[in-house]
Amino acid sequence: MSQLKNVEAKILQCLQNKFLARYVSLPNQNKIWTVTVSPELRDRTPLVMVHGFGGGVGLWILNMDSLSARRTLHTFDLLGFGRSSRPTFPRDPEGAENEFVISIETWRETMGIPSMILLGHSLGGFLATSYSIKYPERVKHLILVDPWGFPLRPTDPSEIRAPPTWFKAVASVLGRSNPLAVLRIAGPWGPGLVQRFRPDFKRKFADFFEDDTISEYIYHCNAQNPSGETAFKAMMESFGWARRPMIERIHLIRKDVPITMIYGSNTWIDTSTGKKVKLQRPDSYVRDMEIEGASHHVYADQPHIFNAVVEEICDSVD
């Protein structure tokens, strides 16, 4: 954990805006690692960003300054990931999902945030949607960035969009074990393994770091005892699919909650979901868009365009 702390500190040093990094203790003794940027800007609805599987607050470094220029921005490590507590999650998909959602709501309450613009990437998008079903009065706008877990698993194999090669390689190594077990087995070679499977991460963050800072960060986020990833495993079947697909539940979000879905044009996630969400919510605001030249990690592939799009959404709120 101390290595994660050190590498994250190096990442956060890049921030220009004032920020506050600390643990937020929940009533059940769990702690959520939280970074708040521009805490002094209290006039507008804050933006809350929820990272994806295996991620953490540090991966938003290309977005934090821009998106906190006119409002407070909160990011946190999901329960079971990064520097947050790693409890034992329920083993069933609904129980695991609920545990995440309740932790987000308890965090919000503890932080004293009356309402927010809620943005989630990948697994974070799935959880932000689940949160919005349960606590719609807290969400001024829901922004889903390449969200995981929406479509139903196709019965026709030809309809399945192929996941990227690195994904298949990791999946074949792991078989039935937890998704990130290979990183833990690799020990000190782990950062090199991240670099080998995901050389693109180094390129994405090259403006800030010429070395392996980001690979090391991802490794140390995931080299600890599995908790969030065990919960994710309970929620998924064969990596690409959710056991409880969100497309079947998105209509349960209150009609007045606006939703924007942002996809990378080269993503492996099924982008037709955006159109299907519109059909599920005919009387609500749903906008879906693709960002050219971006893959699944839209926020890091095209940070300037992504930041401009998100700022525009935030400005539409207040």
Side-chain angles (χ1 to χ4, degrees), residues 8 36 43 53-54 61 74 87 114 123 127 136 142 161 191 205 256 268 280-281 298 310 312 314:
E8 189 192 84
T36 299
D43 295 346
F53 176 73
I61 193 62
H74 301 286
L123 168 63
L127 296 175
L142 177 62
R161 204 167 184 167
F205 292 90
D256 60 342
W268 53 271
Q280 295 275 353
R281 297 177 62 78
V298 193
V310 173
E312 183 201 328
C314 291

Side-chain angles (χ1 to χ4, degrees), residues 86-91 99 226-227:
R86 294 182 171 244
T88 304
F89 278 78
R91 293 280 175 177
E99 187 99 351
S227 164

Side-chain angles (χ1 to χ4, degrees), residues 27-251:
N28 65 1
Q29 308 304 303
N30 283 328
K31 291 183 168 63
I32 300 292
W33 180 248
T34 304
V35 177
T36 299
V37 195
S38 303
E40 72 283 0
L41 299 178
R42 296 205 181 94
D43 295 346
R44 297 179 178 210
T45 306
L47 171 62
V48 172
M49 298 172 88
V50 188
H51 66 78
F53 176 73
V57 295
L59 294 184
W60 300 117
I61 193 62
L62 305 176
N63 321 104
M64 289 163 128
D65 273 330
S66 285
L67 297 179
S68 63
R70 295 201 293 278
R71 71 184 66 241
T72 299
L73 164 67
H74 301 286
T75 66
F76 60 87
D77 288 346
L78 277 164
L79 186 67
F81 288 105
R83 293 178 66 183
S84 289
S85 297
R86 294 182 171 244
T88 304
F89 278 78
R91 293 280 175 177
D92 64 296
E94 190 173 356
E97 182 184 322
N98 276 339
E99 187 99 351
F100 279 123
V101 169
I102 290 162
S103 73
I104 296 170
E105 170 59 6
T106 317
W107 170 86
R108 181 207 63 78
E109 262 181 342
T110 309
M111 290 283 290
I113 300 168
S115 62
M116 57 193 158
I117 299 159
L118 185 59
L119 180 152
H121 170 252
S122 200
L123 168 63
F126 180 89
L127 296 175
T129 307
S130 181
Y131 177 91
S132 302
I133 292 171
K134 212 163 180 180
Y135 305 105
E137 69 284 0
R138 302 299 178 191
V139 182
K140 291 273 189 81
H141 199 119
L142 177 62
I143 305 173
L144 302 174
V145 184
D146 243 62
W148 170 82
F150 272 69
L152 300 169
R153 188 176 185 176
T155 43
D156 178 357
S158 68
E159 288 176 30
I160 296 176
R161 204 167 184 167
T165 320
W166 64 266
F167 214 82
K168 287 188 226 166
V170 172
S172 66
V173 171
L174 296 173
R176 296 181 178 280
S177 62
N178 273 339
L180 297 165
V182 74
L183 276 185
R184 284 186 293 277
I185 297 162
W189 292 283
L193 203 64
V194 173
Q195 184 55 31
R196 188 176 152 217
F197 278 120
R198 300 303 308 267
D200 54 315
F201 266 113
K202 188 169 178 175
R203 288 196 300 274
K204 294 181 209 299
F205 292 90
D207 286 357
F208 278 55
F209 310 104
E210 288 173 5
D211 59 7
D212 293 337
T213 299
I214 291 295
S215 303
E216 285 176 23
Y217 176 70
I218 293 168
Y219 168 71
H220 288 300
C221 272
N222 295 298
Q224 304 157 69
N225 67 310
S227 164
E229 75 180 92
T230 307
F232 180 58
K233 196 180 172 205
M235 287 158 58
M236 69 153 188
E237 48 178 348
S238 65
F239 215 97
W241 313 98
R243 289 186 190 271
R244 304 177 69 233
M246 200 49 80
I247 197 68
E248 297 187 311
R249 296 185 275 152
I250 191 110
H251 66 280

Side-chain angles (χ1 to χ4, degrees), residues 276-318:
K276 290 172 184 154
V277 171
K278 282 181 177 173
L279 293 173
Q280 295 275 353
R281 297 177 62 78
D283 305 322
S284 303
Y285 178 94
V286 180
R287 177 184 173 199
D288 76 308
M289 57 184 300
E290 288 188 17
I291 292 183
E292 282 303 316
S295 59
H296 181 52
H297 293 269
V298 193
Y299 59 92
D301 290 326
Q302 294 291 345
H304 298 297
I305 302 171
F306 174 83
N307 292 343
V309 167
V310 173
E311 273 180 76
E312 183 201 328
I313 297 165
C314 291
D315 288 346
S316 75
V317 173
D318 53 14

